Amino acid sequence: MSNSKIDDDQLTEMFKALGNTHRLMIFKRLSSCCQPGTQCDLEQAMAYSVGELGEGLDIASSTLSHHLKELHRSGLIEMERQGKRVVCWIAPETLNSLGDFFNADIKR
Amino acid sequence: MSNSKIDDDQLTEMFKALGNTHRLMIFKRLSSCCQPGTQCDLEQAMAYSVGELGEGLDIASSTLSHHLKELHRSGLIEMERQGKRVVCWIAPETLNSLGDFFNADIKR
DNA sequence: TTTACTATTCGACATGTTTCGAACTATAGA
DNA sequence: TCTATAGTTCGAAACATGTCGAATAGTAAA
């Protein structure tokens, strides 16, 4: 059921991107869209600014910037400047491709 | 629907393990259980020996051994000696956990 | 324009990873 | 026991990554 093409090189890059504690935390924060028991609009609620994503991570802002660049390079997240801030959100197609990778019973 | 517990550290290790071209190839070979259009027994058909997994990869056997160790350490694959050979297969629970990670709509 | 806020780039350093060949271990069979 | 087959461990070299602070760039508001 996978219609979005994604090659092995890109897949490797995405896994490499997620294979780091800080980047995985960032990714998880981006993929958690709302508070327990609340409804949320996918497109809106899942966007965070760079600063928000760094909260609680205890790393320098330059390091944070580097990690976000890696997540973006791999195709996992999108970024866009909005005024003073840069907001980030998960690239939805990519996420689906990854889900398919693990859920398909047969791969070649 | 995720009942198998898996913490962030282990998740990071698994992604790190898959974030390498050679290891991803090995993992894909282990997760492709049968030929096109054929039926297969999951438990049996998905086991490969170390030597078989290295075919076509064009790396030294010591390097192959290292990669398999990484995949095993991360919890992605199981290994067992059978006579002269060591056979490998994918750890099924782990695979499900990873699928859940990407398919759950809400994470925290 | 000056200031404050937000984020990125750069250079440097320490740490990890990938890879090889050589030496070693384990098993099965002659 | 000797030999062949199948994998692993070790040490070293090359390369990649994570991290920081300092300097820089973009935006908005006083």
Side-chain angles (χ1 to χ4, degrees), chain A residues 8 12 15-16 18-21 24-25 28 31-32 95 98-99 102-103 107-108, chain B residues 8 12 15-16 18-21 24-25 28 31-32 36 95 98 102-103 107:
Chain A
D8 291 339
T12 305
F15 286 135
K16 195 179 291 184
L18 292 175
N20 170 277
T21 312
L24 185 61
M25 291 306 117
K28 284 185 74 171
S31 62
S32 68
L95 193 57
L98 281 171
F102 290 110
N103 287 111
K107 280 181 284 294
R108 252 160 240 124
Chain B
D8 290 339
T12 305
F15 287 136
K16 193 178 293 183
L18 292 175
N20 169 278
T21 312
L24 185 61
M25 290 307 117
K28 283 186 75 171
S31 63
S32 68
L95 193 58
L98 281 171
F102 291 109
N103 287 111
K107 280 181 286 294

PDB file of all heavy atoms in Angstrom, chain A residues 8 12 15-16 18-21 24-25 28 31-32 95 98-99 102-103 107-108, chain B residues 8 12 15-16 18-21 24-25 28 31-32 36 95 98 102-103 107:
ATOM      1  N   ASP A   8      16.590   3.566  -0.827  1.00  0.00           N
ATOM      2  CA  ASP A   8      17.351   3.095   0.326  1.00  0.00           C
ATOM      3  C   ASP A   8      18.284   4.150   0.900  1.00  0.00           C
ATOM      4  O   ASP A   8      18.493   4.206   2.105  1.00  0.00           O
ATOM      5  CB  ASP A   8      18.157   1.848  -0.053  1.00  0.00           C
ATOM      6  CG  ASP A   8      17.249   0.654  -0.295  1.00  0.00           C
ATOM      7  OD1 ASP A   8      16.107   0.671   0.198  1.00  0.00           O
ATOM      8  OD2 ASP A   8      17.686  -0.288  -0.973  1.00  0.00           O
ATOM      9  N   THR A  12      18.158   5.380   4.685  1.00  0.00           N
ATOM     10  CA  THR A  12      19.338   5.359   5.558  1.00  0.00           C
ATOM     11  C   THR A  12      19.529   6.713   6.230  1.00  0.00           C
ATOM     12  O   THR A  12      19.783   6.782   7.444  1.00  0.00           O
ATOM     13  CB  THR A  12      20.599   5.016   4.746  1.00  0.00           C
ATOM     14  OG1 THR A  12      20.403   3.789   4.049  1.00  0.00           O
ATOM     15  CG2 THR A  12      21.809   4.880   5.659  1.00  0.00           C
ATOM     16  N   PHE A  15      16.978   7.241   9.041  1.00  0.00           N
ATOM     17  CA  PHE A  15      17.289   6.468  10.240  1.00  0.00           C
ATOM     18  C   PHE A  15      18.506   7.053  10.952  1.00  0.00           C
ATOM     19  O   PHE A  15      18.545   7.121  12.178  1.00  0.00           O
ATOM     20  CB  PHE A  15      17.532   5.002   9.883  1.00  0.00           C
ATOM     21  CG  PHE A  15      16.276   4.261   9.537  1.00  0.00           C
ATOM     22  CD1 PHE A  15      16.228   3.417   8.438  1.00  0.00           C
ATOM     23  CD2 PHE A  15      15.123   4.412  10.306  1.00  0.00           C
ATOM     24  CE1 PHE A  15      15.058   2.734   8.111  1.00  0.00           C
ATOM     25  CE2 PHE A  15      13.951   3.732   9.980  1.00  0.00           C
ATOM     26  CZ  PHE A  15      13.927   2.886   8.875  1.00  0.00           C
ATOM     27  N   LYS A  16      19.475   7.479  10.179  1.00  0.00           N
ATOM     28  CA  LYS A  16      20.655   8.107  10.764  1.00  0.00           C
ATOM     29  C   LYS A  16      20.236   9.343  11.557  1.00  0.00           C
ATOM     30  O   LYS A  16      20.712   9.588  12.664  1.00  0.00           O
ATOM     31  CB  LYS A  16      21.645   8.480   9.653  1.00  0.00           C
ATOM     32  CG  LYS A  16      23.027   8.809  10.134  1.00  0.00           C
ATOM     33  CD  LYS A  16      23.952   9.154   8.974  1.00  0.00           C
ATOM     34  CE  LYS A  16      24.261   7.938   8.104  1.00  0.00           C
ATOM     35  NZ  LYS A  16      25.226   8.236   7.032  1.00  0.00           N
ATOM     36  N   LEU A  18      17.380   9.907  12.976  1.00  0.00           N
ATOM     37  CA  LEU A  18      16.654   9.541  14.198  1.00  0.00           C
ATOM     38  C   LEU A  18      17.538   8.791  15.196  1.00  0.00           C
ATOM     39  O   LEU A  18      17.148   8.599  16.342  1.00  0.00           O
ATOM     40  CB  LEU A  18      15.437   8.682  13.837  1.00  0.00           C
ATOM     41  CG  LEU A  18      14.331   9.397  13.067  1.00  0.00           C
ATOM     42  CD1 LEU A  18      13.243   8.418  12.665  1.00  0.00           C
ATOM     43  CD2 LEU A  18      13.733  10.528  13.908  1.00  0.00           C
ATOM     44  N   GLY A  19      18.713   8.408  14.761  1.00  0.00           N
ATOM     45  CA  GLY A  19      19.599   7.630  15.628  1.00  0.00           C
ATOM     46  C   GLY A  19      20.470   8.484  16.531  1.00  0.00           C
ATOM     47  O   GLY A  19      21.646   8.213  16.726  1.00  0.00           O
ATOM     48  N   ASN A  20      19.869   9.510  17.074  1.00  0.00           N
ATOM     49  CA  ASN A  20      20.566  10.402  18.006  1.00  0.00           C
ATOM     50  C   ASN A  20      19.542  10.873  19.032  1.00  0.00           C
ATOM     51  O   ASN A  20      18.433  11.294  18.663  1.00  0.00           O
ATOM     52  CB  ASN A  20      21.149  11.598  17.236  1.00  0.00           C
ATOM     53  CG  ASN A  20      21.672  12.682  18.159  1.00  0.00           C
ATOM     54  OD1 ASN A  20      20.891  13.515  18.633  1.00  0.00           O
ATOM     55  ND2 ASN A  20      22.943  12.683  18.427  1.00  0.00           N
ATOM     56  N   THR A  21      19.895  10.783  20.296  1.00  0.00           N
ATOM     57  CA  THR A  21      18.956  11.079  21.372  1.00  0.00           C
ATOM     58  C   THR A  21      18.266  12.424  21.195  1.00  0.00           C
ATOM     59  O   THR A  21      17.041  12.512  21.275  1.00  0.00           O
ATOM     60  CB  THR A  21      19.681  11.082  22.730  1.00  0.00           C
ATOM     61  OG1 THR A  21      20.482   9.904  22.799  1.00  0.00           O
ATOM     62  CG2 THR A  21      18.689  11.098  23.870  1.00  0.00           C
ATOM     63  N   LEU A  24      15.936  12.529  18.201  1.00  0.00           N
ATOM     64  CA  LEU A  24      14.736  11.722  18.421  1.00  0.00           C
ATOM     65  C   LEU A  24      13.752  12.471  19.316  1.00  0.00           C
ATOM     66  O   LEU A  24      12.544  12.460  19.086  1.00  0.00           O
ATOM     67  CB  LEU A  24      15.111  10.366  19.040  1.00  0.00           C
ATOM     68  CG  LEU A  24      13.941   9.390  19.213  1.00  0.00           C
ATOM     69  CD1 LEU A  24      13.311   9.035  17.878  1.00  0.00           C
ATOM     70  CD2 LEU A  24      14.377   8.129  19.939  1.00  0.00           C
ATOM     71  N   MET A  25      14.273  13.167  20.340  1.00  0.00           N
ATOM     72  CA  MET A  25      13.414  13.970  21.225  1.00  0.00           C
ATOM     73  C   MET A  25      12.691  15.050  20.430  1.00  0.00           C
ATOM     74  O   MET A  25      11.493  15.273  20.601  1.00  0.00           O
ATOM     75  CB  MET A  25      14.265  14.643  22.318  1.00  0.00           C
ATOM     76  CG  MET A  25      14.856  13.694  23.340  1.00  0.00           C
ATOM     77  SD  MET A  25      13.613  12.643  24.126  1.00  0.00           S
ATOM     78  CE  MET A  25      14.151  11.019  23.598  1.00  0.00           C
ATOM     79  N   LYS A  28      10.023  13.460  18.286  1.00  0.00           N
ATOM     80  CA  LYS A  28       8.867  13.055  19.086  1.00  0.00           C
ATOM     81  C   LYS A  28       8.018  14.257  19.478  1.00  0.00           C
ATOM     82  O   LYS A  28       6.795  14.206  19.468  1.00  0.00           O
ATOM     83  CB  LYS A  28       9.321  12.301  20.348  1.00  0.00           C
ATOM     84  CG  LYS A  28       9.760  10.885  20.063  1.00  0.00           C
ATOM     85  CD  LYS A  28      10.086  10.124  21.325  1.00  0.00           C
ATOM     86  CE  LYS A  28       8.823   9.734  22.080  1.00  0.00           C
ATOM     87  NZ  LYS A  28       9.124   8.800  23.195  1.00  0.00           N
ATOM     88  N   SER A  31       5.961  15.238  16.657  1.00  0.00           N
ATOM     89  CA  SER A  31       4.896  14.309  16.268  1.00  0.00           C
ATOM     90  C   SER A  31       3.815  14.156  17.330  1.00  0.00           C
ATOM     91  O   SER A  31       2.819  13.482  17.113  1.00  0.00           O
ATOM     92  CB  SER A  31       5.478  12.938  15.913  1.00  0.00           C
ATOM     93  OG  SER A  31       6.116  12.368  17.018  1.00  0.00           O
ATOM     94  N   SER A  32       4.008  14.795  18.478  1.00  0.00           N
ATOM     95  CA  SER A  32       2.939  14.783  19.477  1.00  0.00           C
ATOM     96  C   SER A  32       2.151  16.073  19.329  1.00  0.00           C
ATOM     97  O   SER A  32       2.632  17.148  19.621  1.00  0.00           O
ATOM     98  CB  SER A  32       3.524  14.675  20.879  1.00  0.00           C
ATOM     99  OG  SER A  32       4.217  15.832  21.223  1.00  0.00           O
ATOM    100  N   LEU A  95       6.737  10.462   6.826  1.00  0.00           N
ATOM    101  CA  LEU A  95       6.337   9.702   8.005  1.00  0.00           C
ATOM    102  C   LEU A  95       5.586   8.437   7.599  1.00  0.00           C
ATOM    103  O   LEU A  95       5.824   7.352   8.129  1.00  0.00           O
ATOM    104  CB  LEU A  95       5.445  10.587   8.877  1.00  0.00           C
ATOM    105  CG  LEU A  95       5.157  10.093  10.296  1.00  0.00           C
ATOM    106  CD1 LEU A  95       6.451   9.870  11.052  1.00  0.00           C
ATOM    107  CD2 LEU A  95       4.282  11.091  11.024  1.00  0.00           C
ATOM    108  N   LEU A  98       7.869   5.705   6.243  1.00  0.00           N
ATOM    109  CA  LEU A  98       8.575   4.997   7.305  1.00  0.00           C
ATOM    110  C   LEU A  98       7.665   3.983   7.982  1.00  0.00           C
ATOM    111  O   LEU A  98       8.089   2.863   8.280  1.00  0.00           O
ATOM    112  CB  LEU A  98       9.105   5.991   8.338  1.00  0.00           C
ATOM    113  CG  LEU A  98      10.380   6.708   7.937  1.00  0.00           C
ATOM    114  CD1 LEU A  98      10.703   7.813   8.914  1.00  0.00           C
ATOM    115  CD2 LEU A  98      11.532   5.713   7.884  1.00  0.00           C
ATOM    116  N   GLY A  99       6.430   4.380   8.216  1.00  0.00           N
ATOM    117  CA  GLY A  99       5.474   3.449   8.813  1.00  0.00           C
ATOM    118  C   GLY A  99       5.292   2.224   7.941  1.00  0.00           C
ATOM    119  O   GLY A  99       5.332   1.092   8.413  1.00  0.00           O
ATOM    120  N   PHE A 102       8.011  -0.586   8.097  1.00  0.00           N
ATOM    121  CA  PHE A 102       7.973  -1.575   9.174  1.00  0.00           C
ATOM    122  C   PHE A 102       6.715  -2.431   9.160  1.00  0.00           C
ATOM    123  O   PHE A 102       6.707  -3.517   9.712  1.00  0.00           O
ATOM    124  CB  PHE A 102       8.106  -0.890  10.524  1.00  0.00           C
ATOM    125  CG  PHE A 102       9.454  -0.331  10.745  1.00  0.00           C
ATOM    126  CD1 PHE A 102       9.659   1.027  10.748  1.00  0.00           C
ATOM    127  CD2 PHE A 102      10.539  -1.183  10.919  1.00  0.00           C
ATOM    128  CE1 PHE A 102      10.927   1.543  10.928  1.00  0.00           C
ATOM    129  CE2 PHE A 102      11.809  -0.673  11.104  1.00  0.00           C
ATOM    130  CZ  PHE A 102      11.994   0.692  11.100  1.00  0.00           C
ATOM    131  N   ASN A 103       5.664  -1.942   8.542  1.00  0.00           N
ATOM    132  CA  ASN A 103       4.411  -2.681   8.607  1.00  0.00           C
ATOM    133  C   ASN A 103       4.165  -3.612   7.431  1.00  0.00           C
ATOM    134  O   ASN A 103       3.364  -4.524   7.531  1.00  0.00           O
ATOM    135  CB  ASN A 103       3.235  -1.722   8.757  1.00  0.00           C
ATOM    136  CG  ASN A 103       3.204  -1.148  10.155  1.00  0.00           C
ATOM    137  OD1 ASN A 103       3.458   0.035  10.344  1.00  0.00           O
ATOM    138  ND2 ASN A 103       2.939  -1.992  11.125  1.00  0.00           N
ATOM    139  N   LYS A 107       9.039  -7.498   1.957  1.00  0.00           N
ATOM    140  CA  LYS A 107       9.850  -6.443   1.329  1.00  0.00           C
ATOM    141  C   LYS A 107      10.881  -7.078   0.421  1.00  0.00           C
ATOM    142  O   LYS A 107      11.249  -8.221   0.580  1.00  0.00           O
ATOM    143  CB  LYS A 107      10.564  -5.603   2.389  1.00  0.00           C
ATOM    144  CG  LYS A 107       9.692  -4.566   3.025  1.00  0.00           C
ATOM    145  CD  LYS A 107      10.472  -3.783   4.018  1.00  0.00           C
ATOM    146  CE  LYS A 107      10.702  -4.552   5.289  1.00  0.00           C
ATOM    147  NZ  LYS A 107       9.480  -4.811   6.030  1.00  0.00           N
ATOM    148  N   ARG A 108      11.362  -6.302  -0.540  1.00  0.00           N
ATOM    149  CA  ARG A 108      12.390  -6.830  -1.448  1.00  0.00           C
ATOM    150  C   ARG A 108      13.450  -5.791  -1.748  1.00  0.00           C
ATOM    151  O   ARG A 108      13.164  -4.632  -1.770  1.00  0.00           O
ATOM    152  CB  ARG A 108      11.733  -7.268  -2.760  1.00  0.00           C
ATOM    153  CG  ARG A 108      11.691  -8.757  -2.920  1.00  0.00           C
ATOM    154  CD  ARG A 108      10.645  -9.156  -3.940  1.00  0.00           C
ATOM    155  NE  ARG A 108       9.685 -10.012  -3.291  1.00  0.00           N
ATOM    156  CZ  ARG A 108       8.383  -9.770  -3.264  1.00  0.00           C
ATOM    157  NH1 ARG A 108       7.921  -8.656  -3.758  1.00  0.00           N
ATOM    158  NH2 ARG A 108       7.569 -10.616  -2.693  1.00  0.00           N
TER     159      ARG A 108
ATOM    160  N   ASP B   8      13.217   5.252  24.947  1.00  0.00           N
ATOM    161  CA  ASP B   8      13.829   6.116  23.949  1.00  0.00           C
ATOM    162  C   ASP B   8      15.271   5.751  23.645  1.00  0.00           C
ATOM    163  O   ASP B   8      15.723   5.885  22.516  1.00  0.00           O
ATOM    164  CB  ASP B   8      13.755   7.570  24.414  1.00  0.00           C
ATOM    165  CG  ASP B   8      12.320   8.084  24.375  1.00  0.00           C
ATOM    166  OD1 ASP B   8      11.499   7.482  23.649  1.00  0.00           O
ATOM    167  OD2 ASP B   8      12.030   9.066  25.063  1.00  0.00           O
ATOM    168  N   THR B  12      16.593   4.880  20.000  1.00  0.00           N
ATOM    169  CA  THR B  12      17.725   5.567  19.387  1.00  0.00           C
ATOM    170  C   THR B  12      18.743   4.572  18.850  1.00  0.00           C
ATOM    171  O   THR B  12      19.239   4.718  17.728  1.00  0.00           O
ATOM    172  CB  THR B  12      18.422   6.484  20.413  1.00  0.00           C
ATOM    173  OG1 THR B  12      17.462   7.379  20.973  1.00  0.00           O
ATOM    174  CG2 THR B  12      19.528   7.295  19.771  1.00  0.00           C
ATOM    175  N   PHE B  15      17.489   2.943  15.622  1.00  0.00           N
ATOM    176  CA  PHE B  15      17.578   3.831  14.462  1.00  0.00           C
ATOM    177  C   PHE B  15      19.029   4.019  14.038  1.00  0.00           C
ATOM    178  O   PHE B  15      19.349   4.052  12.859  1.00  0.00           O
ATOM    179  CB  PHE B  15      16.925   5.178  14.766  1.00  0.00           C
ATOM    180  CG  PHE B  15      15.424   5.108  14.810  1.00  0.00           C
ATOM    181  CD1 PHE B  15      14.722   5.745  15.830  1.00  0.00           C
ATOM    182  CD2 PHE B  15      14.716   4.415  13.843  1.00  0.00           C
ATOM    183  CE1 PHE B  15      13.335   5.679  15.874  1.00  0.00           C
ATOM    184  CE2 PHE B  15      13.323   4.343  13.887  1.00  0.00           C
ATOM    185  CZ  PHE B  15      12.637   4.972  14.907  1.00  0.00           C
ATOM    186  N   LYS B  16      19.908   4.132  15.023  1.00  0.00           N
ATOM    187  CA  LYS B  16      21.324   4.270  14.720  1.00  0.00           C
ATOM    188  C   LYS B  16      21.799   3.045  13.935  1.00  0.00           C
ATOM    189  O   LYS B  16      22.541   3.154  12.969  1.00  0.00           O
ATOM    190  CB  LYS B  16      22.107   4.408  16.035  1.00  0.00           C
ATOM    191  CG  LYS B  16      23.526   4.870  15.867  1.00  0.00           C
ATOM    192  CD  LYS B  16      24.240   5.026  17.199  1.00  0.00           C
ATOM    193  CE  LYS B  16      23.656   6.149  18.037  1.00  0.00           C
ATOM    194  NZ  LYS B  16      24.399   6.358  19.315  1.00  0.00           N
ATOM    195  N   LEU B  18      20.044   1.131  12.017  1.00  0.00           N
ATOM    196  CA  LEU B  18      19.501   1.129  10.654  1.00  0.00           C
ATOM    197  C   LEU B  18      20.040   2.287   9.811  1.00  0.00           C
ATOM    198  O   LEU B  18      19.857   2.307   8.596  1.00  0.00           O
ATOM    199  CB  LEU B  18      17.970   1.193  10.699  1.00  0.00           C
ATOM    200  CG  LEU B  18      17.273  -0.047  11.267  1.00  0.00           C
ATOM    201  CD1 LEU B  18      15.781   0.178  11.374  1.00  0.00           C
ATOM    202  CD2 LEU B  18      17.565  -1.273  10.401  1.00  0.00           C
ATOM    203  N   GLY B  19      20.708   3.208  10.438  1.00  0.00           N
ATOM    204  CA  GLY B  19      21.214   4.385   9.751  1.00  0.00           C
ATOM    205  C   GLY B  19      22.557   4.174   9.088  1.00  0.00           C
ATOM    206  O   GLY B  19      23.426   5.048   9.121  1.00  0.00           O
ATOM    207  N   ASN B  20      22.729   3.009   8.502  1.00  0.00           N
ATOM    208  CA  ASN B  20      23.961   2.673   7.782  1.00  0.00           C
ATOM    209  C   ASN B  20      23.568   1.800   6.595  1.00  0.00           C
ATOM    210  O   ASN B  20      22.800   0.848   6.759  1.00  0.00           O
ATOM    211  CB  ASN B  20      24.910   1.928   8.727  1.00  0.00           C
ATOM    212  CG  ASN B  20      26.095   1.322   8.001  1.00  0.00           C
ATOM    213  OD1 ASN B  20      25.974   0.233   7.432  1.00  0.00           O
ATOM    214  ND2 ASN B  20      27.215   1.993   8.010  1.00  0.00           N
ATOM    215  N   THR B  21      24.071   2.130   5.444  1.00  0.00           N
ATOM    216  CA  THR B  21      23.667   1.441   4.218  1.00  0.00           C
ATOM    217  C   THR B  21      23.782  -0.077   4.325  1.00  0.00           C
ATOM    218  O   THR B  21      22.828  -0.798   4.018  1.00  0.00           O
ATOM    219  CB  THR B  21      24.550   1.897   3.038  1.00  0.00           C
ATOM    220  OG1 THR B  21      24.610   3.316   3.056  1.00  0.00           O
ATOM    221  CG2 THR B  21      23.968   1.432   1.730  1.00  0.00           C
ATOM    222  N   LEU B  24      21.297  -1.560   6.787  1.00  0.00           N
ATOM    223  CA  LEU B  24      19.928  -1.497   6.272  1.00  0.00           C
ATOM    224  C   LEU B  24      19.691  -2.599   5.236  1.00  0.00           C
ATOM    225  O   LEU B  24      18.639  -3.246   5.229  1.00  0.00           O
ATOM    226  CB  LEU B  24      19.647  -0.120   5.658  1.00  0.00           C
ATOM    227  CG  LEU B  24      18.204   0.106   5.197  1.00  0.00           C
ATOM    228  CD1 LEU B  24      17.227  -0.005   6.350  1.00  0.00           C
ATOM    229  CD2 LEU B  24      18.054   1.460   4.506  1.00  0.00           C
ATOM    230  N   MET B  25      20.694  -2.856   4.387  1.00  0.00           N
ATOM    231  CA  MET B  25      20.590  -3.937   3.398  1.00  0.00           C
ATOM    232  C   MET B  25      20.390  -5.282   4.097  1.00  0.00           C
ATOM    233  O   MET B  25      19.554  -6.093   3.709  1.00  0.00           O
ATOM    234  CB  MET B  25      21.871  -4.013   2.546  1.00  0.00           C
ATOM    235  CG  MET B  25      22.064  -2.848   1.595  1.00  0.00           C
ATOM    236  SD  MET B  25      20.645  -2.556   0.527  1.00  0.00           S
ATOM    237  CE  MET B  25      20.139  -0.923   1.044  1.00  0.00           C
ATOM    238  N   LYS B  28      16.918  -5.467   5.545  1.00  0.00           N
ATOM    239  CA  LYS B  28      15.913  -5.684   4.509  1.00  0.00           C
ATOM    240  C   LYS B  28      15.937  -7.134   4.023  1.00  0.00           C
ATOM    241  O   LYS B  28      14.889  -7.727   3.796  1.00  0.00           O
ATOM    242  CB  LYS B  28      16.152  -4.740   3.327  1.00  0.00           C
ATOM    243  CG  LYS B  28      15.710  -3.324   3.588  1.00  0.00           C
ATOM    244  CD  LYS B  28      15.818  -2.452   2.357  1.00  0.00           C
ATOM    245  CE  LYS B  28      14.719  -2.732   1.351  1.00  0.00           C
ATOM    246  NZ  LYS B  28      14.707  -1.717   0.254  1.00  0.00           N
ATOM    247  N   SER B  31      14.180  -9.193   6.432  1.00  0.00           N
ATOM    248  CA  SER B  31      12.734  -8.978   6.545  1.00  0.00           C
ATOM    249  C   SER B  31      11.976  -9.355   5.272  1.00  0.00           C
ATOM    250  O   SER B  31      10.757  -9.293   5.230  1.00  0.00           O
ATOM    251  CB  SER B  31      12.435  -7.530   6.930  1.00  0.00           C
ATOM    252  OG  SER B  31      12.882  -6.652   5.932  1.00  0.00           O
ATOM    253  N   SER B  32      12.705  -9.742   4.228  1.00  0.00           N
ATOM    254  CA  SER B  32      12.019 -10.229   3.014  1.00  0.00           C
ATOM    255  C   SER B  32      11.985 -11.748   3.092  1.00  0.00           C
ATOM    256  O   SER B  32      12.998 -12.412   2.981  1.00  0.00           O
ATOM    257  CB  SER B  32      12.748  -9.772   1.766  1.00  0.00           C
ATOM    258  OG  SER B  32      13.986 -10.404   1.660  1.00  0.00           O
ATOM    259  N   PRO B  36       8.460 -13.531  -4.844  1.00  0.00           N
ATOM    260  CA  PRO B  36       7.213 -12.946  -5.338  1.00  0.00           C
ATOM    261  C   PRO B  36       6.131 -13.998  -5.569  1.00  0.00           C
ATOM    262  O   PRO B  36       6.374 -15.017  -6.217  1.00  0.00           O
ATOM    263  CB  PRO B  36       7.626 -12.315  -6.677  1.00  0.00           C
ATOM    264  CG  PRO B  36       9.063 -12.033  -6.538  1.00  0.00           C
ATOM    265  CD  PRO B  36       9.614 -13.025  -5.582  1.00  0.00           C
ATOM    266  N   LEU B  95      10.284  -5.319  15.890  1.00  0.00           N
ATOM    267  CA  LEU B  95       9.778  -4.824  14.616  1.00  0.00           C
ATOM    268  C   LEU B  95       8.411  -4.177  14.793  1.00  0.00           C
ATOM    269  O   LEU B  95       8.139  -3.099  14.264  1.00  0.00           O
ATOM    270  CB  LEU B  95       9.684  -5.993  13.632  1.00  0.00           C
ATOM    271  CG  LEU B  95       9.470  -5.645  12.168  1.00  0.00           C
ATOM    272  CD1 LEU B  95      10.580  -4.742  11.664  1.00  0.00           C
ATOM    273  CD2 LEU B  95       9.382  -6.899  11.325  1.00  0.00           C
ATOM    274  N   LEU B  98       8.599  -0.740  16.412  1.00  0.00           N
ATOM    275  CA  LEU B  98       9.024   0.298  15.481  1.00  0.00           C
ATOM    276  C   LEU B  98       7.874   0.724  14.574  1.00  0.00           C
ATOM    277  O   LEU B  98       7.698   1.911  14.300  1.00  0.00           O
ATOM    278  CB  LEU B  98      10.185  -0.209  14.636  1.00  0.00           C
ATOM    279  CG  LEU B  98      11.536  -0.179  15.329  1.00  0.00           C
ATOM    280  CD1 LEU B  98      12.586  -0.887  14.499  1.00  0.00           C
ATOM    281  CD2 LEU B  98      11.963   1.256  15.584  1.00  0.00           C
ATOM    282  N   PHE B 102       5.769   4.794  14.258  1.00  0.00           N
ATOM    283  CA  PHE B 102       5.441   5.679  13.147  1.00  0.00           C
ATOM    284  C   PHE B 102       3.949   5.759  12.850  1.00  0.00           C
ATOM    285  O   PHE B 102       3.489   6.703  12.237  1.00  0.00           O
ATOM    286  CB  PHE B 102       6.184   5.246  11.889  1.00  0.00           C
ATOM    287  CG  PHE B 102       7.642   5.484  11.979  1.00  0.00           C
ATOM    288  CD1 PHE B 102       8.523   4.435  12.094  1.00  0.00           C
ATOM    289  CD2 PHE B 102       8.139   6.782  11.982  1.00  0.00           C
ATOM    290  CE1 PHE B 102       9.882   4.670  12.194  1.00  0.00           C
ATOM    291  CE2 PHE B 102       9.496   7.016  12.080  1.00  0.00           C
ATOM    292  CZ  PHE B 102      10.368   5.955  12.188  1.00  0.00           C
ATOM    293  N   ASN B 103       3.210   4.740  13.265  1.00  0.00           N
ATOM    294  CA  ASN B 103       1.804   4.724  12.904  1.00  0.00           C
ATOM    295  C   ASN B 103       0.877   5.346  13.940  1.00  0.00           C
ATOM    296  O   ASN B 103      -0.238   5.731  13.624  1.00  0.00           O
ATOM    297  CB  ASN B 103       1.354   3.309  12.586  1.00  0.00           C
ATOM    298  CG  ASN B 103       1.908   2.866  11.250  1.00  0.00           C
ATOM    299  OD1 ASN B 103       2.764   2.006  11.185  1.00  0.00           O
ATOM    300  ND2 ASN B 103       1.445   3.502  10.191  1.00  0.00           N
ATOM    301  N   LYS B 107       1.822  10.853  20.082  1.00  0.00           N
ATOM    302  CA  LYS B 107       2.889  10.317  20.930  1.00  0.00           C
ATOM    303  C   LYS B 107       3.247  11.330  22.008  1.00  0.00           C
ATOM    304  O   LYS B 107       3.008  12.510  21.860  1.00  0.00           O
ATOM    305  CB  LYS B 107       4.137  10.015  20.095  1.00  0.00           C
ATOM    306  CG  LYS B 107       4.041   8.701  19.351  1.00  0.00           C
ATOM    307  CD  LYS B 107       5.307   8.453  18.576  1.00  0.00           C
ATOM    308  CE  LYS B 107       5.373   9.344  17.351  1.00  0.00           C
ATOM    309  NZ  LYS B 107       4.372   9.064  16.365  1.00  0.00           N
TER     310      LYS B 107
END
